[in-house]
Amino acid sequence: MTDDSQMPSLTTAQNDAMHVAEALCSDRGERLTPARRRVLELLLQAEGPIKAYDLLELLKPGPGAAKPPTVYRALDFLMELGLAHKIEALNAYVSCAHCHDSGGAEIFICTQCDGVEERHGASHSSCAPDGFTIQRSVVEHFGVCARCAA
Amino acid sequence: MTDDSQMPSLTTAQNDAMHVAEALCSDRGERLTPARRRVLELLLQAEGPIKAYDLLELLKPGPGAAKPPTVYRALDFLMELGLAHKIEALNAYVSCAHCHDSGGAEIFICTQCDGVEERHGASHSSCAPDGFTIQRSVVEHFGVCARCAA
DNA sequence: TTTTGAAATGTTATAATATCACACTTGTGA
DNA sequence: TCACAAGTGTGATATTATAACATTTCAAAA
Ligand SMILES: [Zn+2]
Ligand SMILES: [Zn+2]
Ligand SMILES: [Zn+2]
Ligand SMILES: [Zn+2]
C-alpha cells in the first residue's frame, strides 16, 4: 500500500501527474498542502475545463466544506507553478500536463466534447506591432477536435 | 455646424469612426440607436480598455441613468458588428478601428500605458492538434509597447 | 392613416465570479 | 520555548453578467 491510498480513484496517468506535482513543489520549496492537492486531484479528474464554484461543490463532501477563497488560493498556487491554467474566455480552469514554466501555452478547446489540448512554443512576436515586447499571452482556440469531427 | 453637434468632444478620428459605424449599420440593416451610439462614443473616447461598469458610471450623468443590461446589450451589439471587442483576460472592452468581420483579431495590450493595438490575419491553424478545426480564437498579448519601452 | 409585430429598452432582481479583511492555525527555525 | 512566516477559516463584500417580464419605439403592412 502506497501513501497515495487516501486518494479516490485516480487513474495511473493522474497518479503520475500528482507525483510530478509533488516533485515540482519539492524542487521549488513549496508545499503541496491538502487543499492544494485536493484541488489538483479534482482538476485532473475533470473531463474538461471546470469552474471554480464547481470545484467548490465537489469539495463540499470532504471534511471541511471549502469556501471560495480556499479554491481560488489553491488555483492561484497551481497556476503559479504551471500545474493549472485559467481559460479566460470560459472563466474555467484546467490542469496542465506539460509542467512548463509560465508562458507560451496555446489552448485548443473542443466545443462539442469539452476536450482541451495544449500546444507550446509558437511564437507570436512576428505579428506584434513594431517594438512591442510580449510578456504574457492568452491564446485560446475554440473549435471541433478530430474525434468529434469524424 | 454638423449634425454631430450633440456629441461631446470627439476627435476627428473618433468622428470618422462613428461615421464608419453608421455606414456599417446601414449596410447591415441594423440601427445605431442612442444607447448603442453613446456606448460606442465612450469606447472611442476611452484611452484604453474600459470595463462595463465604468461605462455604466459614465452613462449616469446622461438623461436616462443606464442599468447593466443596457450596457451589456449595447456591447453585445457592437461586438456582433465587429465594432468592439472584449478583452477576456481583463473583462474589459475596446472599440475596434478595423471593422473586420468577426474572427481573427489579435490584440496587444501595453501594461504600462493601457494602449491597445490590433493585428489581423495571423493563422494559428498550423499549431493546432491534428484534425482540429478552429472556429473562434482569443489571442491577447500583454507587454510593453514601443513608446513605453523608449 | 391606422394597425401591428418585431426590435429595442426599462426595470427589478438575481446569478456567477472573485477578492478583502482579519482571526486563527501550523509548521519551521532561532 | 519562542517568534515568525506561510497557510487556512470565515464572513462579508466587490465585481461581472444575465434572467425575466413589462413597456416603448419604429417601420412596414393593411
Ligand atoms: Zn500548460
Ligand atoms: Zn471534441
Ligand atoms: Zn477588431
Ligand atoms: Zn505603452
Side-chain angles (χ1 to χ4, degrees):
Chain A
M1 188 184 304
T2 78
D3 57 357
D4 297 325
S5 55
Q6 77 283 7
M7 291 199 227
S9 64
L10 288 185
T11 66
T12 304
Q14 288 163 359
N15 239 309
D16 288 351
M18 286 304 309
H19 288 123
V20 167
E22 285 160 1
L24 181 63
C25 287
S26 184
D27 277 1
R28 303 282 188 92
E30 299 285 356
R31 296 162 52 202
L32 190 60
T33 61
R36 293 165 173 178
R37 169 183 291 270
R38 189 81 187 92
V39 168
L40 179 53
E41 284 172 16
L42 291 172
L43 287 176
L44 288 168
Q45 290 174 310
E47 307 230 331
I50 184 167
K51 304 213 157 214
Y53 276 73
D54 292 337
L55 288 170
L56 203 47
E57 283 306 309
L58 293 171
L59 287 170
K60 282 281 163 73
K67 301 267 169 59
T70 302
V71 168
Y72 284 105
R73 285 165 181 161
L75 288 171
D76 286 345
F77 173 84
L78 296 171
M79 289 190 293
E80 281 281 321
L81 265 63
L83 293 169
H85 297 299
K86 178 177 184 181
I87 301 179
E88 297 286 351
L90 297 178
N91 293 322
Y93 303 83
V94 290
S95 62
C96 171
H98 298 81
C99 299
H100 48 80
D101 299 311
S102 71
E106 190 152 346
I107 296 179
F108 297 82
I109 304 111
C110 176
T111 54
Q112 293 191 24
C113 69
D114 274 352
V116 175
E117 301 188 63
E118 219 184 300
R119 292 287 181 277
H120 299 89
S123 167
H124 294 268
S125 50
S126 61
C127 335
D130 210 41
F132 191 101
T133 303
I134 296 175
Q135 293 171 332
R136 169 186 171 239
S137 292
V138 172
V139 181
E140 300 166 358
H141 302 289
F142 295 85
V144 180
C145 75
R147 175 181 300 273
C148 289
Chain B
M1 189 185 302
T2 77
D3 58 357
D4 297 324
S5 55
Q6 78 282 7
M7 290 197 229
S9 64
L10 289 185
T11 66
T12 303
Q14 289 163 357
N15 237 309
D16 289 350
M18 287 303 311
H19 289 123
V20 167
E22 285 161 0
L24 182 63
C25 287
S26 185
D27 278 1
R28 304 281 188 92
E30 299 285 357
R31 295 161 52 202
L32 191 59
T33 61
R36 293 164 173 178
R37 170 183 291 270
R38 189 81 187 90
V39 169
L40 179 53
E41 284 172 16
L42 292 172
L43 288 176
L44 288 167
Q45 290 175 308
E47 306 232 331
I50 185 167
K51 305 214 158 211
Y53 276 73
D54 291 337
L55 288 170
L56 203 47
E57 283 305 309
L58 293 171
L59 287 170
K60 283 280 163 73
K67 303 264 169 56
T70 302
V71 168
Y72 284 105
R73 284 164 180 161
L75 289 170
D76 286 346
F77 173 83
L78 295 171
M79 288 190 292
E80 281 281 321
L81 265 64
L83 294 168
H85 298 297
K86 179 177 184 180
I87 301 178
E88 297 287 352
L90 297 178
N91 294 320
Y93 303 83
V94 290
S95 62
C96 172
H98 297 82
C99 299
H100 48 80
D101 299 311
S102 70
E106 190 152 346
I107 296 179
F108 296 82
I109 304 112
C110 177
T111 54
Q112 293 192 24
C113 69
D114 274 352
V116 175
E117 300 188 63
E118 221 185 298
R119 292 288 180 280
H120 299 88
S123 167
H124 294 268
S125 50
S126 61
C127 336
D130 210 41
F132 192 101
T133 303
I134 296 175
Q135 293 171 332
R136 168 185 172 241
S137 291
V138 172
V139 182
E140 300 167 357
H141 302 288
F142 295 84
V144 180
C145 75
R147 175 180 301 273
C148 289

